[in-house]
Amino acid sequence: MRVLGIETSCDETGVAIYDSEQGLLADALYSQVKLHAEYGGVVPELASRDHVRKLLPMIESVLKQADLTTGHIDGIAYTSGPGLIGALMVGACFGRSLAYAWGKPAIGVHHMEGHLLAPMLEDNPPEFPFVALLVSGGHTQLVQVEAIGQYRLLGESLDDAAGEAFDKAAKMLDLDYPGGPHIARLAESGTSGRFTFPRPMVDRPGLDFSFSGLKTFTLNTVAAHALDDGLPDDQTCADIAHAFQEAVVQTLAIKCRRALSETGYKTLVIAGGVSANIRLRDVLVKELARVGGSVFYARHQFCTDNGAMIAYAGCQRLLAGQQDKLAVNVKPRWPMDTLSPLL
């Protein structure tokens, strides 16, 4: 089965074609980062309008890239939540309309299920069951995964997601948006041990996260070392970035080890934009190796939002006989543990 996948949940327009036998045939991604950078974050209305402009030429592009025509497509998958409602509506209406015009089945895909399954696109995919750390700008969750559609939420952030905390810390240091990659680069030149930031909620039982206190601690540290221009000197900024990143990474690692211990699993999957962080990957691989565990993640281009993960997830559900009715239904908020399992 060949499935056209469409991702428009936020500020990336992703389109891809996945074949259940041949794998990924084509993939295209357009990022709106430059469009939103001057505002320091995503402007929902601008995001929706840009999706409208980009979708049709991108679909034509992936069809050409795969040397296919519309008649070769067997189904269409689109992100139907969670995300920005306007952005979701663009992709869902577009995908559902194409499916109706082409006489093909269509299915709305859960955005975070797409992220969770993105490592399945690799040559050495993880085997079920496993624990998944879904960590991005909008989500930080630990999920017990028995199979596709069989999820149990183990813990989540009670306030800011890890990616959101990275963005806010970057803004405090006058770094560009999105902040995660800039914090990571600046942290490389930071001095280890000069600052010690708290590891939130690791001294209490449970698998929930909280990053708002860490954000406040970062703000106070920046203010305490600020010069006349409102910022610390360059080396101090690097040292703060290093300490902040270490706090986030170590907090995530402690919770992941705890989740594996509670479930008895030996496999951890990390997915979402923050899973591209090299320091996070290195720490998790080393920590889990000590207890005989292994870590899986997608290649860098599939860590952030993309159409390939939606095409793959949609393909699995379409193959199982699932499809949506004609009405378009998007869900800005959508708990993943409410998804139906594959039969």
Side-chain angles (χ1 to χ4, degrees):
M1 170 176 274
R2 295 191 188 97
V3 175
L4 174 71
I6 297 173
E7 156 61 21
T8 62
S9 65
C10 191
D11 61 338
E12 269 107 12
T13 311
V15 180
I17 299 173
Y18 179 82
D19 188 299
S20 57
E21 296 182 359
Q22 300 178 58
L24 186 64
L25 301 181
D27 173 59
L29 181 69
Y30 177 80
S31 175
Q32 302 175 4
V33 165
K34 291 183 179 179
L35 176 65
H36 301 285
E38 64 177 296
Y39 304 102
V42 178
V43 181
E45 180 62 23
L46 295 181
S48 301
R49 292 180 182 181
D50 211 45
H51 289 313
V52 172
R53 286 191 289 265
K54 295 297 188 299
L55 266 177
L56 183 56
M58 289 179 67
I59 290 172
E60 293 173 342
S61 174
V62 294
L63 285 169
K64 183 177 181 179
Q65 181 182 337
D67 195 22
L68 300 174
T69 66
T70 58
H72 292 112
I73 301 300
D74 301 307
I76 295 178
Y78 52 85
T79 304
S80 55
L84 302 175
I85 188 167
L88 290 170
M89 284 296 294
V90 173
C93 290
F94 206 102
R96 198 65 195 80
S97 298
L98 285 181
Y100 179 77
W102 297 349
K104 307 294 183 181
I107 190 162
V109 171
H110 192 290
H111 178 73
M112 296 311 294
E113 181 174 63
H115 274 303
L116 186 151
L117 297 176
M120 299 298 182
L121 294 164
E122 302 303 315
D123 293 335
N124 180 34
E127 295 183 359
F128 298 104
F130 54 77
V131 170
L133 171 66
L134 303 178
V135 57
S136 65
H139 299 82
T140 301
Q141 299 177 330
L142 280 165
V143 180
Q144 181 178 340
V145 182
E146 296 289 339
I148 296 177
Q150 297 181 35
Y151 311 125
R152 183 170 74 91
L153 182 65
L154 299 173
E156 62 184 339
S157 179
L158 304 178
D159 39 62
D160 291 355
E164 182 181 3
F166 267 104
D167 287 340
K168 291 180 178 178
K171 190 172 184 179
M172 297 172 198
L173 295 171
D174 197 31
L175 301 175
D176 290 338
Y177 172 86
H182 296 289
I183 287 280
R185 280 192 291 271
L186 185 60
E188 292 177 0
S189 57
T191 304
S192 179
R194 179 181 176 187
F195 298 110
T196 300
F197 282 22
R199 276 62 169 158
M201 294 185 70
V202 299
D203 58 348
R204 65 185 73 178
L207 295 170
D208 287 330
F209 303 88
S210 172
F211 294 104
S212 63
L214 179 60
K215 177 188 66 179
T216 302
F217 191 94
T218 304
L219 180 64
N220 291 338
T221 304
V222 171
H225 294 82
L227 303 176
D228 292 341
D229 63 355
L231 286 173
D233 61 74
D234 290 346
Q235 185 58 52
T236 300
C237 284
D239 295 343
I240 291 172
H242 179 89
F244 171 83
Q245 179 174 257
E246 284 300 299
V248 174
V249 166
Q250 294 296 334
T251 298
L252 294 173
I254 290 169
K255 295 288 187 173
C256 286
R257 289 199 306 270
R258 190 177 296 175
L260 290 173
S261 176
E262 290 188 10
T263 60
Y265 295 168
K266 293 294 186 180
T267 302
L268 175 73
V269 167
I270 56 173
V274 182
S275 70
N277 184 285
I278 300 300
R279 178 60 179 162
L280 175 61
R281 292 183 178 188
D282 289 347
V283 168
L284 287 174
V285 168
K286 291 176 182 177
E287 289 295 323
L288 267 63
R290 294 175 182 174
V291 295
S294 54
V295 180
F296 291 82
Y297 44 79
R299 72 196 81 165
H300 189 275
Q301 71 191 86
F302 296 145
C303 290
T304 55
D305 296 350
N306 62 88
M309 68 183 191
I310 301 304
Y312 177 86
C315 183
Q316 307 314 305
R317 291 191 171 274
L318 288 169
L319 284 171
Q322 298 181 10
Q323 60 177 286
D324 286 346
K325 297 179 180 178
L326 185 60
V328 173
N329 181 23
V330 297
K331 303 174 183 178
R333 296 184 181 275
W334 189 5
M336 200 166 67
D337 55 7
T338 63
L339 292 176
S340 61
L342 300 189
L343 301 178

